[in-house]
Amino acid sequence: MSDCIFCAIAAKDIHGRIVHETEHSLAFLDVNPLAPGHTLVVPKDHYARLDDLPEEISADLWRTVDELVPRVEAAVDADATNVGMNNGPAAGQEVEHVHVHIVPRFEGDGGSPIHAVGGTRPDLSDEELDDIEAAISN
Ligand code: 5GP
Ligand code: ZN
């Protein structure tokens, strides 16, 4: 997509601190890192949402994430990582090109667990839970 910043990095039209590349995926440092080593893993082609990815591209993306997590942790001597994505604008996705965040974490760094992304916690009845379970299962 012509006006997409991650497409431009993938095409090497603009500079990115690229740390790994596969046939379908690219990993580079986040320009505004939440922690040293904050890395983004993206498909080279433009897809907005996770469920837009063809199976082969998705498999390559998650394999790349899996491979990079220990490398990123080792590179910055992290104690742990948060790995996740904002999948859609309502979830906070600002760049509409699929990207997985690898955020290194350090003991006492003052950050939050991934549970902090939710809004007010719902108080769900057993019936509502039954409906949700069935809806996802189908
Ligand atoms: P989102 O909110 O869409 O999940 O996160 C987008 C991420 O992309 C942010 O963490 C932001 O710092 C990063 N980002 C935005 N523009 C650029 C850029 O031009 N280069 C790089 N390397 N990262 C970017
Ligand atoms: Zn793009």
Side-chain angles (χ1 to χ4, degrees):
M1 225 172 88
S2 60
D3 61 347
C4 172
I5 196 82
F6 291 172
C7 282
I9 292 174
K12 317 264 168 76
D13 288 338
I14 66 164
H15 177 68
R17 291 186 183 277
I18 295 171
V19 296
H20 190 68
E21 192 169 352
T22 70
E23 184 183 356
H24 298 300
S25 305
L26 192 71
F28 51 89
L29 298 184
D30 194 297
V31 78
N32 189 19
L34 292 170
H38 183 172
T39 298
L40 303 174
V41 185
V42 309
K44 287 181 175 175
D45 291 337
H46 186 89
Y47 300 97
R49 298 278 284 255
L50 192 56
D51 50 330
D52 296 330
L53 295 178
E55 197 177 321
E56 186 187 351
I57 308 281
S58 177
D60 189 88
L61 181 80
W62 292 107
R63 200 164 39 239
T64 304
V65 170
D66 198 33
E67 187 177 332
L68 275 173
V69 164
R71 279 171 52 178
V72 169
E73 288 186 3
V76 296
D77 203 18
D79 298 307
T81 33
N82 288 117
V83 179
M85 60 181 298
N86 300 319
N87 192 36
Q93 183 179 4
E94 290 180 357
V95 178
E96 287 206 5
H97 180 132
V98 167
H99 52 282
V100 180
H101 292 262
I102 301 175
V103 183
R105 298 296 304 274
F106 305 86
E107 294 292 346
D109 65 11
S112 303
I114 212 158
H115 306 80
V117 300
T120 307
R121 288 204 183 212
D123 187 13
L124 298 168
S125 66
D126 283 345
E127 196 177 45
E128 288 169 313
L129 288 168
D130 287 344
D131 288 347
I132 294 167
E133 180 184 343
I136 296 174
S137 301
N138 286 340

